[in-house]
Amino acid sequence: MHSIDERLERIAQHERLGAFWRLEVQQPTVEGPLTGKLVAFKDSFSVAGTDRDSGVPFLFEHCEVDAPTVRLHREAGATLVGKLSMHQLAWGMMGQTPGRPAVRNPHDESRIPGGSSSGSAVALAAGLVDLAPGTDTGGSVRAPASACGIVGLKPTFGLVDVGGIHVNARSLDTCGPMARTVAETALGFDVLLGRMPQPVEEIGLAGLRVGVLEEWFCGDLDAGVERAFRHALDVLGRAGAALAPADIGWQREPRILRDLFNCEPVPHYADGVRADPAPYEPLIVADLADGEATPLRQYLDTILRLDGLRVRALAGADEWDVLVCPTLPLSPPPIDGPDLTLKMNRNTNAFNGLGWPAISIPCGTDDLGLPVGLQLIAKPYLDDELLAVAAAAEGALA
């Protein structure tokens, strides 16, 4: 076990990766399951004694109170080591913020790490911290987990308290654990729920009914992503899992979340962005303008349609135990390339809309040698069962 000073030196040696915006150590005052572990939070979390702004000037504040999620980590004995970089306002998948140093994928520094929890994934992949809870409104935990070759869980909607975290779209916002292994991610999940840590259940894959989301979710994949995904399916099949095509109907309304993504942040951010749009990404400015122009009836109709989609998706859920698809349909693009957010979150945002738990685990590399993530999904409130399946799949893929 390296000392805290040695690990902080390691963080300094990896400054070029851009994982941290603010580095300041807060030592634990109690012992617990996280004693000796370094934990860092995305800048959108309120951590008492630190500053935050989520990458926008008008949100800057010195925090006096911990978010509930932060308090739970303190009470578990964690050493807190600063605030992690993120995509501006947690509003995008590229993981960058204008005017801030680039956040780089440790596997190829010219590539993005995914977003919006970009610094969280980078800090974990580079071995700088042990846990880094992230937020996930449309894939912001799972996408960077996939791009950086770590594990990220989006829990069932509403299970984890999101108080004290900057809002994105409140009807979709979740907070989930990120770590290097499923077992460590499960530990983070236990802490986020305020319960005593428990080992992940050991299960076999034999007889597990795996629904493969072939239609739409597997369309237009990068060749290397497709190859890694098909290999993962082959591994699951050889381990005894029963694979069969599955359909949740999401492809019939793939853009249904647009109004929620664009309208719900308006009360929190529209005035500040409109007052001086220069520091903000064009996508954020355009989406907020769209949200302000959306009629109330259209927003309410979207919520009604989404409720219907949730009912229809659950209607066929008795046919499978878990669903699988690639986490990201493409390789992490170059940092200086075009913004591919809308393509990157294609396979993740469905499960924010449905509110189901979903986890990304590494399942190989693509043609560029970059990590590929396998997304596993379960029915609502079966988060522990999902972690057990993910641990078994992690072992088989290893």
Side-chain angles (χ1 to χ4, degrees), residues 28-72:
T29 58
V30 298
E31 292 190 353
L34 298 186
T35 295
K37 294 187 180 295
L38 299 192
V39 178
F41 287 89
K42 189 175 181 176
D43 193 60
S44 53
F45 288 72
S46 178
V47 177
T50 71
D51 298 333
R52 69 166 173 173
D53 60 19
S54 286
V56 302
F58 69 87
L59 285 179
F60 180 84
E61 64 173 330
H62 183 75
C63 300
E64 303 291 344
V65 178
D66 283 333
T69 46
V70 175
R71 174 181 53 79
L72 288 167

Side-chain angles (χ1 to χ4, degrees), residues 133-371:
T135 63
D136 193 315
T137 303
S140 290
V141 160
R142 291 157 289 155
S146 175
C148 291
I150 62 161
V151 179
L153 169 69
K154 183 203 80 69
T156 298
F157 178 78
L159 270 189
V160 176
D161 192 337
V162 294
I165 304 172
H166 282 149
V167 174
N168 195 303
R170 187 55 89 197
S171 63
L172 303 171
D173 288 348
T174 56
C175 170
M178 302 173 71
R180 282 182 287 276
T181 67
V182 174
E184 291 170 320
T185 302
L187 170 61
F189 185 50
D190 288 334
V191 172
L192 286 170
L193 293 183
R195 67 187 186 187
M196 286 297 295
Q198 51 195 2
V200 178
E201 181 185 359
E202 294 187 11
I203 65 168
L205 296 175
L208 184 76
R209 298 173 303 161
V210 177
V212 183
L213 292 168
E214 289 281 1
E215 186 175 355
W216 193 73
F217 288 90
C218 286
D220 192 28
L221 299 177
D222 279 7
V225 172
E226 172 112 27
R227 176 180 50 76
F229 175 65
R230 298 299 169 188
H231 172 72
L233 292 183
D234 182 61
V235 169
L236 297 180
R238 284 189 279 112
L243 306 176
D247 181 12
I248 58 171
W250 191 261
Q251 67 276 11
R252 298 181 185 96
E253 292 209 65
R255 299 291 291 150
I256 193 171
L257 298 184
R258 172 191 155 279
D259 289 339
L260 278 64
F261 284 143
N262 294 356
C263 294
E264 294 189 3
V266 165
H268 307 280
Y269 306 130
D271 291 345
V273 172
R274 192 189 311 106
D276 180 15
Y280 304 101
E281 286 195 333
L283 180 68
I284 292 174
V285 177
D287 282 354
L288 280 171
D290 179 83
E292 288 191 288
T294 300
L296 176 61
R297 173 61 185 270
Q298 179 178 320
Y299 172 77
L300 295 176
D301 283 346
T302 296
I303 293 176
L304 186 63
R305 291 184 1 251
L306 182 58
D307 284 342
L309 187 54
R310 288 168 176 161
V311 170
R312 292 191 297 274
L314 271 178
D318 288 341
E319 299 177 1
W320 47 265
D321 299 312
V322 294
L323 298 172
V324 295
C325 66
T327 309
L328 294 176
L330 71 163
S331 302
I335 290 174
D336 57 0
D339 190 327
L340 298 180
T341 290
L342 296 182
K343 184 172 183 180
M344 291 177 66
N345 70 7
R346 185 190 74 188
N347 285 2
T348 53
N349 67 28
F351 306 105
N352 294 89
L354 296 176
W356 297 357
I359 190 170
S360 180
I361 65 172
C363 71
T365 56
D366 63 15
D367 293 341
L368 301 173
L370 295 169

